[in-house]
Amino acid sequence: MIPAEQIIPESASPMPRTAPCSLFELRASYVSVSTMSRERRPGVGCRAQSKDTGGTTHVSGETGSVTTAEPTKETRSEEDLDVPWQVVVHNDPVNLMSYVTMVFQRVFGYPREKAEKHMLEVHHQGRSILWAGRREPAELYVQQLHGYLLLATLEKVS
């Protein structure tokens, strides 16, 4: 659905109108045309656009031909996802040591001794690598640590 403020009124359209709904233009990063109706509904224009994307799709004429030009997107390769990633927690002057230890136990399931070891490493060295592995679980751990108001980052293993 397109919000009402993004629909261009027919009178403001720079495109010539030869027949009602003879040309339909939709700008979106992904367009799926499964069924098209030639019926004109009251209050629905023949032209719509989205401000945040550069892709354009034209649907025209009786034949229902579709021309699509999609914007280029930056995608991650499978190699980037498979490279080991590290979850790093950084020191902050706000949280108590006992609280940080408890968070490490809850998020990672570490025993108290291992959680305290990492907490002391954060306290003395300013950071500690808590976990290393695939990117997706690492992102989840970072998000969980942020939920406990700890400063955590995700770093690629070099």
Side-chain angles (χ1 to χ4, degrees):
M1 296 183 81
I2 299 172
E5 61 272 2
Q6 291 184 357
I7 296 177
I8 298 174
E10 291 179 22
S11 61
S13 175
M15 300 178 67
R17 303 286 307 262
T18 58
C21 290
S22 63
L23 180 66
F24 179 84
E25 181 181 43
L26 176 66
R27 294 175 185 240
S29 59
Y30 173 75
V31 177
S32 173
V33 180
S34 58
T35 60
M36 292 187 287
S37 172
R38 298 285 299 160
E39 299 175 353
R40 184 176 173 103
R41 295 182 299 179
V44 176
C46 293
R47 184 165 187 215
Q49 71 180 15
S50 173
K51 296 178 184 176
D52 59 342
T53 60
T56 304
T57 298
H58 296 279
V59 180
S60 61
E62 296 287 327
T63 62
S65 63
V66 177
T67 306
T68 303
E70 297 207 14
T72 58
K73 294 182 183 179
E74 188 175 314
T75 59
R76 295 185 217 157
S77 67
E78 288 186 29
E79 292 175 6
D80 288 344
L81 297 174
D82 290 340
V83 172
W85 293 82
Q86 297 174 338
V87 175
V88 180
V89 174
H90 302 274
N91 192 23
D92 64 9
V94 179
N95 294 306
L96 297 173
M97 293 179 171
S98 58
Y99 175 75
V100 174
T101 301
M102 181 269 308
V103 171
F104 293 168
Q105 287 178 289
R106 285 191 182 175
V107 173
F108 297 98
Y110 289 162
R112 183 174 186 85
E113 296 77 28
K114 186 172 183 177
E116 285 178 350
K117 176 185 153 272
H118 282 289
M119 177 273 301
L120 289 172
E121 188 176 345
V122 170
H123 181 69
H124 293 296
Q125 297 177 8
R127 61 181 273 166
S128 179
I129 298 170
L130 293 171
W131 188 86
R134 289 184 27 239
R135 183 174 179 138
E136 192 170 335
E139 288 174 346
L140 178 62
Y141 285 135
V142 169
Q143 186 178 14
Q144 288 175 335
L145 291 168
H146 287 171
Y148 285 102
L149 303 177
L150 295 181
L151 179 58
T153 58
L154 182 65
E155 297 177 1
K156 189 183 290 190
V157 175
S158 54

